[in-house]
Amino acid sequence: MATRAVRGAPGGADAAEYDEELTYWAETIKEAERRGFKVWGRGDFVKGDFVQWRGSWYEVTRVNAKTVTVPHIHAAFDGGTVGAVGDCRVVTRAATAETRHKGSTYTLPYNEVSGRMSAEQMRAALAGEVIPADPRDITPEPAPTPGSLPPSPPA
């Protein structure tokens, strides 16, 4: 990363420290993903997918830079569900049209999302069928050797 001057930082010394810290955290996140932890982002979702959040699945109505827009989260408890997958309610935009939350939406930050299913996968899950593979699903790489872990954070 190129070093940028920071207001109030003589000679940009603070900028170099920030760049070093950003590099460390970017490597740490990549390592976590290699080990199977998923860091969700805009590229993981399209309108019509479903996101899992706090025990319910919500249909994605919009994909934003830092969040996904879903039907209002209270609709899960107000008749806006079309069934359940496991113990998780499934909330769709169409089902919420009959609730007091019709048309209301909610935004969920990517760091709070705990799962994703495509519309096709959700249809199969609700029908009790085998859930088909989605090309966007990733398989974690094998855990790296201890010597390949990122360096300790800067002091």
Side-chain angles (χ1 to χ4, degrees):
M1 265 183 210
T3 302
R4 291 169 298 283
V6 175
R7 186 181 306 204
D14 287 342
E17 290 176 24
Y18 290 133
D19 283 347
E20 186 178 327
E21 191 169 341
L22 284 172
T23 300
Y24 166 78
W25 285 112
E27 291 172 7
T28 301
I29 290 169
K30 287 178 186 174
E31 180 61 30
E33 286 184 317
R34 279 193 290 275
R35 291 174 177 244
F37 181 81
K38 177 63 182 154
V39 178
W40 299 103
R42 182 179 199 162
D44 295 309
F45 300 96
V46 296
K47 183 178 177 180
D49 281 348
F50 286 80
V51 296
Q52 188 175 31
W53 181 77
R54 296 188 183 180
S56 295
W57 287 95
Y58 296 89
E59 181 181 10
V60 174
T61 60
R62 184 175 172 170
V63 179
N64 310 301
K66 297 180 181 181
T67 63
V68 287
T69 303
V70 298
H72 199 282
I73 59 172
H74 292 155
F77 308 99
D78 194 25
T81 62
V82 294
V85 173
D87 292 333
C88 298
R89 297 174 181 91
V90 178
V91 180
T92 65
R93 184 176 183 186
T96 60
E98 303 302 319
T99 72
R100 64 188 170 104
H101 301 288
K102 58 183 154 204
S104 296
T105 59
Y106 198 82
T107 55
L108 303 173
Y110 293 119
N111 67 324
E112 292 186 19
V113 170
S114 58
R116 179 194 57 78
M117 272 199 222
S118 67
E120 180 184 5
Q121 288 173 317
M122 183 56 73
R123 183 205 54 76
L126 287 168
E129 301 170 359
V130 174
I131 299 173
D134 185 292
R136 294 175 293 162
D137 294 339
I138 61 167
T139 304
E141 295 177 18
T145 60
S148 67
L149 296 175
S152 298

